[in-house]
Amino acid sequence: MIVVTGATGNVGRALVEVLAAAGEEVTAVSRRAAQAPQPAGVGHRVADLGRPEELKAAFEGARAVYLLVAGVGDGLRPREIVDAAVAAGVRRLVLQSSQLVGTRPDSESHGPLREFEAAVRGSGLEWTVLRPSGFASNAFLWAEAVRTVRTVAAPFADVALPVVDPADIADVAAAALREDGHQGRTYVLTGPAAVTPREQAAALSDAVEAPVRFVAQSPAQARTELVRFLPARAVDGMLAVLGEPSAEERRVSPDVERALGRPGRPFSDWAQRNAFAFV
């Protein structure tokens, strides 16, 4: 049996579907009762990573666990969470971390994820760490504006980054959970090409088959909007990367293809599959 924590998010939900389609016995774990029906054969348990005492029961019987924490893991106790997996007899852990743990090792905001990585590597279990770059699905923040006024407003209009499709993260996670050969590896997961916010708006225009206007924002304007949805510390870290990415953050990683034997999906593919959210 495979346990997927954070099972209602963009990656967790897709991962549950991939594993179920492959015939795996899956338990989806989330902090609240599932709002949508689970795929056939998938169980659901309510458990909170913030209460490690709840986790041994949630992990019981699992051979592998996908650890997906909300945000950057603020307020969680990584070693106790990993200890709960060890106590339940889990043999394999796959952790969803962040590219910024590697590219910005002094970043205070990603300190909790660094602690998670250390706890997973020191667990004595088989482990794989996934470090995705920015998500293509962050474009959902533009959905209402695209639907209502056919506009995308964003800062750093012409700064290109290789955003990753959450479906590719889920596919790599499924491989690491199910297959041998990924243990002891840290995969940096990006898309196959860097894309600017202006180019993302153009891809959404193609997807909805209607003109979508791009409006350049100042960083201050973007911050004011983003803190309505995200913690201020996370927003500041995001804007720092979007505005002044390092050479490593601009680079396309080979790890999706290394893990899956195929390249990652481009942003335009994500936009086409999710066009329903923008019309």
Short mmCIF file of all heavy atoms in Angstrom, two decimals, residues 116-189:
data_model
loop_
_atom_site.label_atom_id
_atom_site.label_comp_id
_atom_site.label_asym_id
_atom_site.label_seq_id
_atom_site.Cartn_x
_atom_site.Cartn_y
_atom_site.Cartn_z
N PHE A 116 13.23 18.92 6.64
CA PHE A 116 12.57 17.72 6.13
C PHE A 116 13.53 16.87 5.33
O PHE A 116 13.56 15.64 5.47
CB PHE A 116 11.35 18.10 5.28
CG PHE A 116 10.06 18.13 6.04
CD1 PHE A 116 9.51 19.33 6.45
CD2 PHE A 116 9.40 16.95 6.36
CE1 PHE A 116 8.32 19.36 7.16
CE2 PHE A 116 8.21 16.97 7.06
CZ PHE A 116 7.66 18.18 7.46
N GLU A 117 14.32 17.51 4.46
CA GLU A 117 15.27 16.74 3.66
C GLU A 117 16.26 16.01 4.57
O GLU A 117 16.57 14.83 4.35
CB GLU A 117 16.01 17.66 2.70
CG GLU A 117 15.15 18.16 1.55
CD GLU A 117 15.99 18.73 0.41
OE1 GLU A 117 17.22 18.54 0.42
OE2 GLU A 117 15.40 19.34 -0.51
N ALA A 118 16.76 16.69 5.58
CA ALA A 118 17.73 16.06 6.49
C ALA A 118 17.09 14.88 7.23
O ALA A 118 17.71 13.82 7.40
CB ALA A 118 18.26 17.09 7.48
N ALA A 119 15.82 15.05 7.66
CA ALA A 119 15.15 13.98 8.38
C ALA A 119 14.91 12.77 7.48
O ALA A 119 15.09 11.62 7.91
CB ALA A 119 13.82 14.49 8.94
N VAL A 120 14.53 13.00 6.24
CA VAL A 120 14.28 11.90 5.31
C VAL A 120 15.58 11.17 5.00
O VAL A 120 15.64 9.93 5.01
CB VAL A 120 13.60 12.44 4.03
CG1 VAL A 120 13.65 11.40 2.92
CG2 VAL A 120 12.17 12.83 4.32
N ARG A 121 16.65 11.92 4.73
CA ARG A 121 17.93 11.29 4.40
C ARG A 121 18.51 10.52 5.58
O ARG A 121 19.22 9.53 5.40
CB ARG A 121 18.93 12.33 3.92
CG ARG A 121 18.57 12.94 2.56
CD ARG A 121 19.72 13.78 2.02
NE ARG A 121 19.40 14.32 0.71
CZ ARG A 121 19.00 15.56 0.47
NH1 ARG A 121 18.90 16.41 1.48
NH2 ARG A 121 18.70 15.97 -0.74
N GLY A 122 18.20 10.98 6.78
CA GLY A 122 18.72 10.32 7.97
C GLY A 122 17.80 9.27 8.56
O GLY A 122 18.07 8.76 9.65
N SER A 123 16.75 8.92 7.86
CA SER A 123 15.72 8.02 8.40
C SER A 123 16.14 6.57 8.45
O SER A 123 15.56 5.77 9.19
CB SER A 123 14.45 8.13 7.56
OG SER A 123 14.68 7.65 6.24
N GLY A 124 17.13 6.19 7.63
CA GLY A 124 17.47 4.78 7.51
C GLY A 124 16.60 4.05 6.52
O GLY A 124 16.80 2.85 6.27
N LEU A 125 15.62 4.74 5.93
CA LEU A 125 14.74 4.15 4.93
C LEU A 125 15.27 4.47 3.53
O LEU A 125 16.14 5.32 3.34
CB LEU A 125 13.33 4.72 5.08
CG LEU A 125 12.68 4.60 6.45
CD1 LEU A 125 11.28 5.21 6.42
CD2 LEU A 125 12.63 3.16 6.93
N GLU A 126 14.71 3.79 2.52
CA GLU A 126 14.96 4.19 1.14
C GLU A 126 14.30 5.57 0.94
O GLU A 126 13.19 5.80 1.42
CB GLU A 126 14.33 3.18 0.18
CG GLU A 126 14.91 1.79 0.28
CD GLU A 126 14.16 0.81 -0.59
OE1 GLU A 126 13.11 1.18 -1.16
OE2 GLU A 126 14.62 -0.35 -0.70
N TRP A 127 15.00 6.47 0.24
CA TRP A 127 14.44 7.82 0.09
C TRP A 127 14.75 8.40 -1.28
O TRP A 127 15.73 8.04 -1.93
CB TRP A 127 14.97 8.76 1.19
CG TRP A 127 16.47 8.94 1.18
CD1 TRP A 127 17.37 8.25 1.93
CD2 TRP A 127 17.24 9.84 0.37
NE1 TRP A 127 18.65 8.66 1.64
CE2 TRP A 127 18.61 9.63 0.69
CE3 TRP A 127 16.91 10.79 -0.61
CZ2 TRP A 127 19.63 10.36 0.08
CZ3 TRP A 127 17.93 11.51 -1.23
CH2 TRP A 127 19.27 11.30 -0.87
N THR A 128 13.87 9.29 -1.70
CA THR A 128 14.07 10.12 -2.88
C THR A 128 13.56 11.50 -2.54
O THR A 128 12.50 11.64 -1.90
CB THR A 128 13.31 9.59 -4.10
OG1 THR A 128 13.61 8.21 -4.30
CG2 THR A 128 13.67 10.36 -5.36
N VAL A 129 14.28 12.54 -2.94
CA VAL A 129 13.85 13.92 -2.73
C VAL A 129 13.57 14.56 -4.08
O VAL A 129 14.40 14.49 -5.00
CB VAL A 129 14.93 14.73 -1.97
CG1 VAL A 129 14.55 16.22 -1.93
CG2 VAL A 129 15.08 14.20 -0.54
N LEU A 130 12.40 15.17 -4.20
CA LEU A 130 12.02 15.90 -5.40
C LEU A 130 12.08 17.39 -5.10
O LEU A 130 11.50 17.86 -4.13
CB LEU A 130 10.60 15.53 -5.86
CG LEU A 130 10.29 14.04 -5.99
CD1 LEU A 130 8.87 13.86 -6.56
CD2 LEU A 130 11.31 13.33 -6.84
N ARG A 131 12.80 18.12 -5.96
CA ARG A 131 12.91 19.58 -5.81
C ARG A 131 12.33 20.27 -7.04
O ARG A 131 13.05 20.65 -7.96
CB ARG A 131 14.38 19.98 -5.62
CG ARG A 131 14.99 19.60 -4.28
CD ARG A 131 16.44 20.04 -4.23
NE ARG A 131 17.03 19.85 -2.90
CZ ARG A 131 18.31 20.10 -2.62
NH1 ARG A 131 19.13 20.54 -3.59
NH2 ARG A 131 18.77 19.92 -1.40
N PRO A 132 11.00 20.45 -7.08
CA PRO A 132 10.41 21.12 -8.25
C PRO A 132 10.71 22.61 -8.26
O PRO A 132 10.88 23.24 -7.21
CB PRO A 132 8.91 20.86 -8.08
CG PRO A 132 8.72 20.52 -6.65
CD PRO A 132 10.01 19.96 -6.14
N SER A 133 10.74 23.16 -9.47
CA SER A 133 10.83 24.61 -9.66
C SER A 133 9.44 25.19 -9.49
O SER A 133 8.52 24.53 -8.98
CB SER A 133 11.39 24.91 -11.05
OG SER A 133 10.49 24.42 -12.04
N GLY A 134 9.23 26.44 -9.92
CA GLY A 134 7.91 27.04 -9.86
C GLY A 134 6.90 26.23 -10.66
O GLY A 134 7.23 25.64 -11.69
N PHE A 135 5.66 26.19 -10.19
CA PHE A 135 4.63 25.37 -10.81
C PHE A 135 3.94 26.10 -11.94
O PHE A 135 3.57 27.28 -11.80
CB PHE A 135 3.56 25.00 -9.78
CG PHE A 135 3.97 23.96 -8.77
CD1 PHE A 135 5.30 23.63 -8.56
CD2 PHE A 135 3.01 23.32 -8.02
CE1 PHE A 135 5.66 22.68 -7.63
CE2 PHE A 135 3.35 22.37 -7.07
CZ PHE A 135 4.68 22.05 -6.88
N ALA A 136 3.68 25.39 -13.05
CA ALA A 136 2.83 25.93 -14.10
C ALA A 136 1.45 26.31 -13.54
O ALA A 136 0.84 27.29 -13.97
CB ALA A 136 2.68 24.92 -15.23
N SER A 137 0.98 25.54 -12.57
CA SER A 137 -0.35 25.77 -12.00
C SER A 137 -0.46 27.06 -11.20
O SER A 137 -1.58 27.45 -10.82
CB SER A 137 -0.77 24.58 -11.14
OG SER A 137 0.18 24.32 -10.14
N ASN A 138 0.65 27.75 -10.93
CA ASN A 138 0.54 29.07 -10.32
C ASN A 138 -0.26 30.02 -11.21
O ASN A 138 -0.79 31.02 -10.74
CB ASN A 138 1.93 29.66 -10.05
CG ASN A 138 2.64 28.97 -8.91
OD1 ASN A 138 2.03 28.24 -8.13
ND2 ASN A 138 3.95 29.16 -8.80
N ALA A 139 -0.37 29.68 -12.49
CA ALA A 139 -1.16 30.49 -13.41
C ALA A 139 -2.65 30.49 -13.05
O ALA A 139 -3.40 31.35 -13.52
CB ALA A 139 -0.98 30.01 -14.84
N PHE A 140 -3.09 29.55 -12.22
CA PHE A 140 -4.48 29.60 -11.75
C PHE A 140 -4.79 30.91 -11.03
O PHE A 140 -5.95 31.31 -10.95
CB PHE A 140 -4.77 28.42 -10.82
CG PHE A 140 -5.04 27.12 -11.52
CD1 PHE A 140 -4.45 25.94 -11.08
CD2 PHE A 140 -5.91 27.05 -12.61
CE1 PHE A 140 -4.71 24.73 -11.71
CE2 PHE A 140 -6.17 25.84 -13.25
CZ PHE A 140 -5.57 24.68 -12.80
N LEU A 141 -3.77 31.57 -10.49
CA LEU A 141 -3.99 32.87 -9.85
C LEU A 141 -4.53 33.90 -10.84
O LEU A 141 -5.13 34.90 -10.43
CB LEU A 141 -2.69 33.38 -9.23
CG LEU A 141 -2.14 32.60 -8.02
CD1 LEU A 141 -0.76 33.08 -7.66
CD2 LEU A 141 -3.08 32.72 -6.84
N TRP A 142 -4.32 33.67 -12.12
CA TRP A 142 -4.81 34.59 -13.15
C TRP A 142 -6.19 34.20 -13.68
O TRP A 142 -6.74 34.91 -14.53
CB TRP A 142 -3.85 34.62 -14.34
CG TRP A 142 -2.45 35.02 -14.02
CD1 TRP A 142 -2.03 35.90 -13.06
CD2 TRP A 142 -1.26 34.58 -14.69
NE1 TRP A 142 -0.67 36.03 -13.08
CE2 TRP A 142 -0.16 35.23 -14.08
CE3 TRP A 142 -1.02 33.71 -15.75
CZ2 TRP A 142 1.15 35.04 -14.48
CZ3 TRP A 142 0.29 33.50 -16.17
CH2 TRP A 142 1.36 34.16 -15.54
N ALA A 143 -6.74 33.09 -13.21
CA ALA A 143 -7.93 32.53 -13.86
C ALA A 143 -9.11 33.50 -13.86
O ALA A 143 -9.77 33.69 -14.90
CB ALA A 143 -8.32 31.22 -13.20
N GLU A 144 -9.39 34.11 -12.74
CA GLU A 144 -10.55 35.01 -12.68
C GLU A 144 -10.39 36.19 -13.62
O GLU A 144 -11.33 36.56 -14.33
CB GLU A 144 -10.78 35.50 -11.25
CG GLU A 144 -12.01 36.38 -11.12
CD GLU A 144 -12.26 36.84 -9.70
OE1 GLU A 144 -11.50 36.47 -8.79
OE2 GLU A 144 -13.24 37.60 -9.50
N ALA A 145 -9.18 36.78 -13.65
CA ALA A 145 -8.95 37.93 -14.53
C ALA A 145 -9.04 37.53 -15.99
O ALA A 145 -9.54 38.29 -16.82
CB ALA A 145 -7.60 38.56 -14.22
N VAL A 146 -8.57 36.34 -16.33
CA VAL A 146 -8.68 35.89 -17.72
C VAL A 146 -10.14 35.64 -18.07
O VAL A 146 -10.61 36.02 -19.15
CB VAL A 146 -7.84 34.62 -17.96
CG1 VAL A 146 -8.09 34.06 -19.35
CG2 VAL A 146 -6.35 34.93 -17.78
N ARG A 147 -10.90 35.05 -17.15
CA ARG A 147 -12.31 34.79 -17.43
C ARG A 147 -13.11 36.08 -17.60
O ARG A 147 -13.97 36.18 -18.47
CB ARG A 147 -12.94 33.98 -16.28
CG ARG A 147 -12.58 32.52 -16.25
CD ARG A 147 -13.51 31.74 -15.33
NE ARG A 147 -13.53 32.28 -13.97
CZ ARG A 147 -12.74 31.85 -12.99
NH1 ARG A 147 -11.86 30.88 -13.22
NH2 ARG A 147 -12.82 32.38 -11.79
N THR A 148 -12.84 37.06 -16.74
CA THR A 148 -13.72 38.24 -16.69
C THR A 148 -13.28 39.37 -17.60
O THR A 148 -14.13 40.03 -18.21
CB THR A 148 -13.82 38.75 -15.24
OG1 THR A 148 -12.50 39.02 -14.73
CG2 THR A 148 -14.50 37.71 -14.34
N VAL A 149 -11.97 39.62 -17.68
CA VAL A 149 -11.51 40.77 -18.48
C VAL A 149 -10.42 40.40 -19.47
O VAL A 149 -9.82 41.28 -20.09
CB VAL A 149 -11.02 41.93 -17.56
CG1 VAL A 149 -12.18 42.53 -16.78
CG2 VAL A 149 -9.92 41.47 -16.61
N ARG A 150 -10.18 39.07 -19.64
CA ARG A 150 -9.19 38.58 -20.60
C ARG A 150 -7.84 39.29 -20.43
O ARG A 150 -7.23 39.77 -21.38
CB ARG A 150 -9.71 38.77 -22.03
CG ARG A 150 -10.86 37.85 -22.39
CD ARG A 150 -10.35 36.42 -22.53
NE ARG A 150 -11.37 35.50 -23.04
CZ ARG A 150 -12.03 34.60 -22.31
NH1 ARG A 150 -11.78 34.51 -21.01
NH2 ARG A 150 -12.91 33.80 -22.85
N THR A 151 -7.38 39.31 -19.18
CA THR A 151 -6.13 40.01 -18.85
C THR A 151 -5.29 39.14 -17.92
O THR A 151 -5.82 38.49 -17.02
CB THR A 151 -6.43 41.36 -18.16
OG1 THR A 151 -7.12 42.20 -19.07
CG2 THR A 151 -5.15 42.06 -17.73
N VAL A 152 -3.99 39.16 -18.13
CA VAL A 152 -3.01 38.63 -17.19
C VAL A 152 -2.15 39.79 -16.72
O VAL A 152 -1.56 40.49 -17.54
CB VAL A 152 -2.12 37.56 -17.85
CG1 VAL A 152 -0.88 37.28 -17.00
CG2 VAL A 152 -2.90 36.26 -18.06
N ALA A 153 -2.08 39.99 -15.41
CA ALA A 153 -1.22 41.02 -14.83
C ALA A 153 -0.14 40.34 -14.01
O ALA A 153 -0.45 39.52 -13.13
CB ALA A 153 -2.03 41.97 -13.96
N ALA A 154 1.12 40.65 -14.29
CA ALA A 154 2.23 40.00 -13.59
C ALA A 154 3.46 40.88 -13.66
O ALA A 154 3.62 41.67 -14.59
CB ALA A 154 2.53 38.64 -14.21
N PRO A 155 4.36 40.73 -12.69
CA PRO A 155 5.64 41.45 -12.74
C PRO A 155 6.66 40.69 -13.57
O PRO A 155 6.42 39.54 -13.96
CB PRO A 155 6.06 41.50 -11.27
CG PRO A 155 5.53 40.20 -10.71
CD PRO A 155 4.23 39.94 -11.45
N PHE A 156 7.78 41.34 -13.85
CA PHE A 156 8.93 40.70 -14.50
C PHE A 156 8.50 40.02 -15.81
O PHE A 156 8.74 38.84 -16.05
CB PHE A 156 9.58 39.68 -13.55
CG PHE A 156 9.76 40.18 -12.15
CD1 PHE A 156 9.13 39.57 -11.08
CD2 PHE A 156 10.53 41.31 -11.90
CE1 PHE A 156 9.28 40.04 -9.79
CE2 PHE A 156 10.69 41.79 -10.60
CZ PHE A 156 10.07 41.16 -9.55
N ALA A 157 7.89 40.82 -16.67
CA ALA A 157 7.21 40.31 -17.87
C ALA A 157 8.09 39.44 -18.75
O ALA A 157 7.60 38.49 -19.37
CB ALA A 157 6.68 41.49 -18.69
N ASP A 158 9.37 39.76 -18.82
CA ASP A 158 10.23 39.08 -19.80
C ASP A 158 11.34 38.27 -19.15
O ASP A 158 12.36 37.97 -19.79
CB ASP A 158 10.79 40.10 -20.78
CG ASP A 158 9.68 40.78 -21.56
OD1 ASP A 158 8.86 40.06 -22.16
OD2 ASP A 158 9.60 42.03 -21.54
N VAL A 159 11.16 37.91 -17.88
CA VAL A 159 12.10 37.02 -17.19
C VAL A 159 11.58 35.59 -17.36
O VAL A 159 10.48 35.25 -16.93
CB VAL A 159 12.23 37.37 -15.70
CG1 VAL A 159 13.15 36.38 -15.00
CG2 VAL A 159 12.74 38.80 -15.53
N ALA A 160 12.39 34.74 -17.99
CA ALA A 160 11.95 33.38 -18.33
C ALA A 160 12.44 32.37 -17.30
O ALA A 160 13.62 32.38 -16.92
CB ALA A 160 12.48 33.00 -19.71
N LEU A 161 11.53 31.48 -16.88
CA LEU A 161 11.85 30.39 -15.96
C LEU A 161 11.20 29.10 -16.45
O LEU A 161 10.10 29.13 -17.01
CB LEU A 161 11.34 30.71 -14.54
CG LEU A 161 12.07 31.83 -13.81
CD1 LEU A 161 11.30 32.24 -12.57
CD2 LEU A 161 13.47 31.38 -13.43
N PRO A 162 11.83 27.96 -16.22
CA PRO A 162 11.30 26.68 -16.72
C PRO A 162 10.28 26.07 -15.74
O PRO A 162 10.57 25.09 -15.05
CB PRO A 162 12.54 25.81 -16.86
CG PRO A 162 13.45 26.30 -15.79
CD PRO A 162 13.20 27.78 -15.67
N VAL A 163 9.09 26.66 -15.68
CA VAL A 163 8.08 26.18 -14.73
C VAL A 163 7.72 24.73 -15.05
O VAL A 163 7.74 24.29 -16.20
CB VAL A 163 6.83 27.07 -14.74
CG1 VAL A 163 7.16 28.47 -14.26
CG2 VAL A 163 6.18 27.12 -16.12
N VAL A 164 7.36 23.98 -13.99
CA VAL A 164 7.13 22.55 -14.13
C VAL A 164 5.64 22.25 -14.03
O VAL A 164 4.91 22.86 -13.24
CB VAL A 164 7.92 21.76 -13.07
CG1 VAL A 164 7.46 22.08 -11.65
CG2 VAL A 164 7.85 20.26 -13.32
N ASP A 165 5.19 21.31 -14.83
CA ASP A 165 3.80 20.86 -14.81
C ASP A 165 3.62 19.95 -13.60
O ASP A 165 4.35 18.96 -13.44
CB ASP A 165 3.50 20.09 -16.10
CG ASP A 165 2.03 19.80 -16.30
OD1 ASP A 165 1.33 19.54 -15.31
OD2 ASP A 165 1.59 19.82 -17.47
N PRO A 166 2.63 20.22 -12.72
CA PRO A 166 2.40 19.31 -11.59
C PRO A 166 2.18 17.86 -12.00
O PRO A 166 2.49 16.94 -11.23
CB PRO A 166 1.15 19.90 -10.92
CG PRO A 166 1.20 21.35 -11.25
CD PRO A 166 1.76 21.41 -12.65
N ALA A 167 1.64 17.64 -13.20
CA ALA A 167 1.46 16.26 -13.67
C ALA A 167 2.79 15.55 -13.83
O ALA A 167 2.89 14.33 -13.61
CB ALA A 167 0.69 16.25 -14.99
N ASP A 168 3.84 16.28 -14.21
CA ASP A 168 5.16 15.67 -14.31
C ASP A 168 5.73 15.36 -12.93
O ASP A 168 6.40 14.33 -12.74
CB ASP A 168 6.12 16.59 -15.08
CG ASP A 168 5.85 16.59 -16.57
OD1 ASP A 168 5.32 15.58 -17.09
OD2 ASP A 168 6.16 17.60 -17.23
N ILE A 169 5.49 16.24 -11.98
CA ILE A 169 5.92 15.94 -10.60
C ILE A 169 5.25 14.66 -10.13
O ILE A 169 5.90 13.77 -9.54
CB ILE A 169 5.59 17.10 -9.65
CG1 ILE A 169 6.21 18.41 -10.13
CG2 ILE A 169 6.08 16.77 -8.23
CD1 ILE A 169 5.77 19.62 -9.33
N ALA A 170 3.95 14.54 -10.39
CA ALA A 170 3.22 13.34 -9.97
C ALA A 170 3.77 12.09 -10.65
O ALA A 170 3.91 11.04 -10.01
CB ALA A 170 1.73 13.51 -10.28
N ASP A 171 4.11 12.19 -11.93
CA ASP A 171 4.64 11.02 -12.63
C ASP A 171 6.00 10.60 -12.08
O ASP A 171 6.28 9.40 -11.93
CB ASP A 171 4.75 11.31 -14.13
CG ASP A 171 3.40 11.29 -14.84
OD1 ASP A 171 2.42 10.80 -14.24
OD2 ASP A 171 3.33 11.77 -15.99
N VAL A 172 6.86 11.59 -11.78
CA VAL A 172 8.15 11.25 -11.20
C VAL A 172 7.96 10.67 -9.80
O VAL A 172 8.62 9.69 -9.41
CB VAL A 172 9.07 12.49 -11.15
CG1 VAL A 172 10.38 12.17 -10.41
CG2 VAL A 172 9.39 12.98 -12.56
N ALA A 173 7.04 11.25 -9.03
CA ALA A 173 6.76 10.73 -7.69
C ALA A 173 6.28 9.28 -7.76
O ALA A 173 6.72 8.43 -6.97
CB ALA A 173 5.71 11.60 -7.00
N ALA A 174 5.39 8.99 -8.70
CA ALA A 174 4.89 7.62 -8.84
C ALA A 174 6.02 6.66 -9.17
O ALA A 174 6.09 5.55 -8.62
CB ALA A 174 3.80 7.57 -9.91
N ALA A 175 6.91 7.07 -10.05
CA ALA A 175 8.05 6.21 -10.39
C ALA A 175 8.93 5.96 -9.17
O ALA A 175 9.35 4.83 -8.91
CB ALA A 175 8.87 6.85 -11.51
N ALA A 176 9.20 7.01 -8.40
CA ALA A 176 10.06 6.87 -7.23
C ALA A 176 9.41 6.01 -6.15
O ALA A 176 10.10 5.28 -5.42
CB ALA A 176 10.41 8.24 -6.66
N LEU A 177 8.08 6.07 -6.04
CA LEU A 177 7.38 5.27 -5.05
C LEU A 177 7.28 3.80 -5.45
O LEU A 177 7.33 2.91 -4.60
CB LEU A 177 5.96 5.83 -4.85
CG LEU A 177 5.87 7.17 -4.12
CD1 LEU A 177 4.51 7.81 -4.38
CD2 LEU A 177 6.11 6.99 -2.62
N ARG A 178 7.18 3.53 -6.75
CA ARG A 178 6.88 2.19 -7.23
C ARG A 178 8.10 1.41 -7.69
O ARG A 178 8.12 0.17 -7.63
CB ARG A 178 5.88 2.26 -8.40
CG ARG A 178 4.56 2.90 -8.09
CD ARG A 178 3.66 2.91 -9.31
NE ARG A 178 3.27 1.54 -9.68
CZ ARG A 178 3.30 1.07 -10.92
NH1 ARG A 178 3.72 1.84 -11.92
NH2 ARG A 178 2.91 -0.17 -11.17
N GLU A 179 9.11 2.13 -8.22
CA GLU A 179 10.20 1.46 -8.92
C GLU A 179 11.51 1.55 -8.14
O GLU A 179 11.72 2.50 -7.37
CB GLU A 179 10.40 2.10 -10.29
CG GLU A 179 9.16 2.10 -11.17
CD GLU A 179 9.32 3.01 -12.38
OE1 GLU A 179 10.42 3.61 -12.54
OE2 GLU A 179 8.35 3.15 -13.15
N ASP A 180 12.39 0.62 -8.41
CA ASP A 180 13.76 0.72 -7.90
C ASP A 180 14.57 1.60 -8.85
O ASP A 180 14.19 1.86 -9.98
CB ASP A 180 14.39 -0.66 -7.80
CG ASP A 180 13.75 -1.50 -6.70
OD1 ASP A 180 13.25 -0.92 -5.72
OD2 ASP A 180 13.74 -2.74 -6.84
N GLY A 181 15.71 2.07 -8.35
CA GLY A 181 16.60 2.88 -9.18
C GLY A 181 16.54 4.36 -8.89
O GLY A 181 17.36 5.13 -9.40
N HIS A 182 15.57 4.78 -8.07
CA HIS A 182 15.46 6.21 -7.74
C HIS A 182 15.92 6.50 -6.31
O HIS A 182 15.97 7.67 -5.91
CB HIS A 182 14.01 6.67 -7.91
CG HIS A 182 13.44 6.40 -9.27
ND1 HIS A 182 13.78 7.15 -10.37
CD2 HIS A 182 12.59 5.44 -9.70
CE1 HIS A 182 13.14 6.67 -11.43
NE2 HIS A 182 12.43 5.63 -11.06
N GLN A 183 16.24 5.46 -5.56
CA GLN A 183 16.59 5.65 -4.16
C GLN A 183 17.92 6.39 -4.02
O GLN A 183 18.85 6.18 -4.79
CB GLN A 183 16.68 4.29 -3.45
CG GLN A 183 15.34 3.57 -3.33
CD GLN A 183 14.88 2.98 -4.64
OE1 GLN A 183 15.60 2.24 -5.29
NE2 GLN A 183 13.66 3.31 -5.06
N GLY A 184 17.97 7.26 -3.02
CA GLY A 184 19.19 8.03 -2.77
C GLY A 184 19.42 9.15 -3.76
O GLY A 184 20.51 9.74 -3.78
N ARG A 185 18.42 9.48 -4.56
CA ARG A 185 18.57 10.54 -5.56
C ARG A 185 17.79 11.79 -5.16
O ARG A 185 16.75 11.71 -4.53
CB ARG A 185 18.08 10.07 -6.94
CG ARG A 185 18.91 8.96 -7.55
CD ARG A 185 18.33 8.56 -8.90
NE ARG A 185 19.10 7.50 -9.53
CZ ARG A 185 20.13 7.70 -10.36
NH1 ARG A 185 20.52 8.94 -10.63
NH2 ARG A 185 20.77 6.69 -10.89
N THR A 186 18.32 12.93 -5.57
CA THR A 186 17.62 14.21 -5.44
C THR A 186 17.38 14.73 -6.85
O THR A 186 18.34 15.02 -7.57
CB THR A 186 18.46 15.22 -4.63
OG1 THR A 186 18.66 14.70 -3.31
CG2 THR A 186 17.74 16.56 -4.54
N TYR A 187 16.12 14.80 -7.24
CA TYR A 187 15.75 15.22 -8.59
C TYR A 187 15.29 16.68 -8.57
O TYR A 187 14.38 17.04 -7.81
CB TYR A 187 14.61 14.37 -9.13
CG TYR A 187 14.96 12.95 -9.49
CD1 TYR A 187 14.19 11.89 -9.02
CD2 TYR A 187 16.03 12.66 -10.33
CE1 TYR A 187 14.47 10.58 -9.38
CE2 TYR A 187 16.33 11.35 -10.68
CZ TYR A 187 15.56 10.32 -10.20
OH TYR A 187 15.85 9.02 -10.55
N VAL A 188 15.88 17.50 -9.42
CA VAL A 188 15.40 18.86 -9.66
C VAL A 188 14.45 18.80 -10.85
O VAL A 188 14.84 18.37 -11.94
CB VAL A 188 16.57 19.82 -9.94
CG1 VAL A 188 16.03 21.21 -10.31
CG2 VAL A 188 17.49 19.91 -8.74
N LEU A 189 13.21 19.19 -10.63
CA LEU A 189 12.17 19.01 -11.64
C LEU A 189 11.77 20.36 -12.23
O LEU A 189 11.28 21.24 -11.52
CB LEU A 189 10.95 18.32 -11.03
CG LEU A 189 11.23 17.00 -10.31
CD1 LEU A 189 9.93 16.40 -9.77
CD2 LEU A 189 11.94 16.01 -11.23
#
